Amino acid sequence: MKITDDIVYIGVNDHELDLFEGQYEVPNGMAYNSYVIIDSKVAVMDSVEARFGSEWLGNLATALDGRAPDYLVVQHVEPDHSANVERFMSSYPEALIVCSAKALEMLRSLYGTDYAERSIVVKEGSELSLGKHTLRFIAAPMVHWPEVIMTYDLCDEVAFTADAFGKFGALDIEDDWACEARRSYFGICGKYGKQVTGVLNKIANLEIAAICPLHGPMLTSDLDYYIGLYKTWSAYEVESKGVAIAFCSVYGHTKEAVELLAYELETAGCPKVAISDLACDDMAEAVEDAFRYGTLVLVSTTYNTDMFPFMKTFIDHLADHAFQNRRVAFMENGSWAPNAARAMKAKVEALKDIELVEPVVTIRGALDDDSRNQIKDLAKALIG
Ligand code: FEO
């Protein structure tokens, strides 16, 4: 697949993976992208996940039609991109690695060698000429590891953005970019909004014709749309109008309370109510919805005088990903000693720029007139 006359896609699709990075469900598989820039010199952009070395090297050989690559640019050392560096270096003994100083350290940690005699260390603003094409490197620490560099091809105006602008899903299955890019972004880079904003500022003045990430499709049109979403996400701004509700229910009464709240919100004109059952649904999807909407309602039964375990995990995920700048409300259930709301509130209050919305709804087992009225009052407060 050609990106431009001189840039060819040589990545692979993975449909065997159960959990990406050991935790993210990827029902549509994953793509590990790699590219080759063919000029007087030849540069390969990153390798691929361990199991796909033969396929990747085969794709490279086909694209090069007998030529040998001069450089392997290692933008990111996470093994989904670096696992075949060693195989590449053995296959092409004249080739050099191009990467950050930190990346060399990390290659040594992971693979036992940093290829010190066969490397070119680059940093912010370094350039590498391939002939017609000049590659300029952009330091992108913590997007999403500290060694990351991005690469801008001045000739074709292509930005190689490492994990940024990537998404879950293999390239041979079409799905909505924003849905799986958002779940990927908040799961993988959510904590590093400041660093992502910093990189977006660095590339703001570049003419960009295409964005080539390490996962997901190459983006070749409507780039303002993708960059705009990244600006919103990295600034922790609200993307969509609506309310996210995350709940834990044991015997169904707490779920009934959630359904009543959703009904009241929708009846009052709330444009979207996104509900996650934390025991059954994908946790990363629940995290994504919490970041997407401006208001989050946490609903839990009381369990061992605390919140239900899945809720504790969920709030920990939010804290781990720097959840902030949102309105949060609570509903609890407890037949004899409701205490989930107090426990949830204690964890949420520690987060940045959170506005707590009253009333806290307390259900004593099954819904009754009192708790139904509390839910109606909460819906009014959330809409108002
Ligand atoms: Fe796709 Fe951070 O590795």
Side-chain angles (χ1 to χ4, degrees):
M1 187 194 335
K2 276 198 160 195
I3 314 295
T4 69
D5 284 347
D6 302 328
I7 302 177
V8 182
Y9 179 80
I10 55 167
V12 298
N13 288 317
D14 184 354
H15 287 292
E16 298 161 7
L17 192 64
D18 51 357
L19 294 174
F20 179 64
E21 294 191 351
Q23 59 175 315
Y24 299 106
E25 293 176 18
V26 282
N28 290 338
M30 275 306 287
Y32 311 111
N33 296 342
S34 173
Y35 310 87
V36 58
I37 306 167
I38 304 172
D39 198 345
S40 305
K41 298 280 189 181
V42 172
V44 176
M45 306 301 294
D46 298 287
S47 85
V48 298
E49 206 267 352
R51 289 167 292 128
F52 296 90
S54 298
E55 184 180 343
W56 171 62
L57 289 172
N59 292 346
L60 175 60
T62 302
L64 291 183
D65 195 21
R67 287 186 66 183
D70 299 280
Y71 305 112
L72 174 62
V73 180
V74 177
Q75 300 186 109
H76 184 15
V77 179
E78 192 161 13
D80 51 332
H81 311 293
S82 69
N84 280 292
V85 167
E86 191 174 1
R87 208 163 151 187
F88 174 96
M89 295 301 273
S90 302
S91 302
Y92 297 105
E94 304 299 318
L96 301 177
I97 285 182
V98 180
C99 65
S100 66
K102 189 74 184 170
L104 283 189
E105 272 177 38
M106 294 167 72
L107 284 170
R108 175 171 285 285
S109 302
L110 276 163
Y111 305 109
T113 175
D114 59 8
Y115 301 96
E117 306 303 314
R118 294 178 61 191
S119 61
I120 298 173
V121 173
V122 295
K123 57 186 181 184
E124 175 74 27
S126 298
E127 292 190 352
L128 178 71
S129 173
L130 304 179
K132 190 171 68 167
H133 294 258
T134 297
L135 305 184
R136 181 181 297 160
F137 300 100
I138 301 160
M142 302 320 296
V143 187
H144 111 260
W145 277 13
E147 84 294 0
V148 171
I149 51 169
M150 295 183 183
T151 307
Y152 178 65
D153 174 13
L154 278 74
C155 175
D156 286 347
E157 298 179 338
V158 171
F160 298 91
T161 55
D163 277 341
F165 298 99
K167 68 180 268 301
F168 297 138
L171 298 191
D172 52 2
I173 294 184
E174 273 192 33
D175 58 7
D176 178 61
W177 183 87
C179 182
E180 286 297 68
R182 187 189 301 105
R183 190 165 69 94
S184 166
Y185 173 83
F186 284 111
I188 290 167
C189 282
K191 182 181 173 74
Y192 304 113
K194 190 175 165 194
Q195 290 86 344
V196 175
T197 299
V199 169
L200 292 174
N201 289 338
K202 285 196 217 177
I203 67 171
N205 294 324
L206 298 176
E207 291 295 326
I208 299 177
I211 292 174
C212 291
L214 287 176
H215 302 287
M218 288 100 257
L219 308 174
T220 55
S221 60
D222 298 327
L223 298 189
D224 286 347
Y225 165 73
Y226 302 108
I227 293 170
L229 279 178
Y230 252 66
K231 282 182 180 165
T232 299
W233 298 343
S234 63
Y236 303 99
E237 288 171 358
V238 174
E239 177 188 342
S240 304
K241 287 185 180 165
V243 173
I245 305 175
F247 78 94
C248 297
S249 182
V250 179
Y251 295 108
H253 297 113
T254 311
K255 185 177 180 184
E256 277 178 38
V258 167
E259 288 165 351
L260 177 59
L261 177 63
Y263 170 80
E264 294 292 339
L265 289 168
E266 284 164 353
T267 304
C270 181
K272 174 73 183 177
V273 180
I275 300 173
S276 298
D277 179 340
L278 296 176
C280 305
D281 296 338
D282 174 22
M283 188 66 80
E285 191 90 33
V287 169
E288 172 195 348
D289 282 340
F291 279 96
R292 179 173 185 173
Y293 301 101
T295 300
L296 172 65
V297 185
L298 299 174
V299 187
S300 179
T301 189
T302 301
Y303 187 83
N304 288 338
T305 69
D306 203 328
M307 69 194 87
F308 204 67
F310 293 112
M311 179 60 75
K312 207 179 279 182
T313 302
F314 177 61
I315 299 174
D316 284 343
H317 274 294
L318 294 180
D320 288 348
H321 295 86
F323 184 76
Q324 57 186 268
N325 189 34
R326 295 293 186 275
R327 301 195 311 160
V328 179
F330 304 97
M331 300 207 300
E332 65 180 350
N333 199 344
S335 306
W336 70 90
N339 199 37
R342 186 202 57 76
M344 292 188 287
K345 200 170 171 182
K347 285 174 88 74
V348 169
E349 278 176 336
L351 306 177
K352 188 180 167 197
D353 294 337
I354 298 295
E355 177 192 338
L356 301 180
V357 182
E358 303 277 352
V360 171
V361 173
T362 298
I363 304 143
R364 309 288 299 227
L367 284 175
D368 59 11
D369 286 347
D370 176 48
S371 50
R372 285 192 187 92
N373 285 332
Q374 291 179 54
I375 290 170
K376 286 177 187 171
D377 288 344
L378 176 59
K380 279 184 206 149
L382 292 173
I383 289 293

